[in-house]
């Protein structure tokens, strides 16, 4: 993995774990895309080189990794360290998932995404977001382009 070679050891470990989960999920969702090259966009958003319609994203924080794949277009996902289970971490995961789905990343100013405390779903621009409170005790949210 050429990207990991230029990273500090701890960062490379997180990166490679994220890529392994992402590759396994791609193989499950679209087996023909399992070996496609992963490119990074200008803000670091991953995309599959030969499968532009397949939306992918990955997040990692410490020992926690999450990935998402969509045959319906752009997606974003964010997970936070399991020790931070505060409402602020849940809100942040929804905000970051939205800007990751959009492809703007941190430059998209995630804190401007309106996420109300203790909410579970909402919309922002052309995206819908979902906090996965019903599936995870660890703050985890995803976002996707609305059809």
């Amino acid at each position: 993995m050429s990207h990991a070679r230029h990273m500090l050891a701890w960062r490379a470990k997180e990166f490679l774990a994220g890529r392994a989960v992402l590759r396994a999920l791609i193989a499950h969702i679209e087996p023909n895309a399992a070996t496609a090259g992963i490119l990074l966009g200008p803000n670091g958003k991953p995309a599959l080189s030969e499968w532009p319609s397949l939306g992918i994203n990955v997040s990692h924080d410490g020992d926690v990794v999450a990935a998402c794949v969509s045959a319906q277009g752009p997606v974003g996902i964010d997970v936070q360290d399991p020790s931070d289970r505060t409402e602020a971490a849940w809100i942040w995961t929804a905000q970051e998932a939205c800007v990751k789905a959009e492809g703007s990343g941190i430059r998209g100013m995630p804190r401007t995404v309106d996420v109300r405390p203790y909410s579970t779903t909402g919309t922002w621009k052309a995206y819908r977001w979902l906090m996965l409170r019903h599936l995870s005790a660890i703050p985890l949210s995803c976002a996707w382009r609305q059809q």
Side-chain angles (χ1 to χ4, degrees):
M1 186 72 47
S2 63
H3 295 293
R5 275 186 278 161
H6 304 291
M7 297 177 183
L8 297 171
W10 67 269
R11 179 73 172 104
K13 179 182 172 188
E14 285 184 7
F15 178 84
L16 292 173
R19 284 299 170 91
V21 170
L22 181 59
R23 284 281 183 202
L25 188 56
I26 292 168
H28 179 74
I29 300 297
E30 181 52 68
N32 294 326
T35 60
I38 297 176
L39 308 172
L40 294 180
N43 293 317
K45 182 173 176 62
L48 293 174
S49 58
E50 297 117 32
W51 294 81
S53 63
L54 201 62
I56 63 171
N57 205 242
V58 66
S59 179
H60 40 80
D61 190 12
D63 292 334
V64 182
V65 176
C68 61
V69 176
S70 171
Q72 306 293 318
V75 292
I77 195 160
D78 190 57
V79 65
Q80 291 297 307
D81 184 316
S83 66
D84 186 3
R85 297 180 187 202
T86 66
E87 187 59 20
W90 280 101
I91 290 170
W92 175 256
T93 63
Q95 293 171 323
E96 189 166 349
C98 285
V99 297
K100 289 173 82 174
E102 181 187 46
S104 58
I106 296 297
R107 291 183 184 155
M109 300 187 327
R111 297 235 185 256
T112 66
V113 178
D114 186 17
V115 177
R116 304 286 175 178
Y118 304 100
S119 58
T120 57
T121 189
T123 59
W124 173 75
K125 294 185 179 180
Y127 299 89
R128 184 145 193 82
W129 56 264
L130 174 67
M131 290 182 190
L132 299 171
R133 294 177 191 267
H134 61 291
L135 296 174
S136 176
I138 298 169
L140 174 65
S141 297
C142 60
W144 62 95
R145 182 184 292 277
Q146 297 184 81
Q147 298 296 322

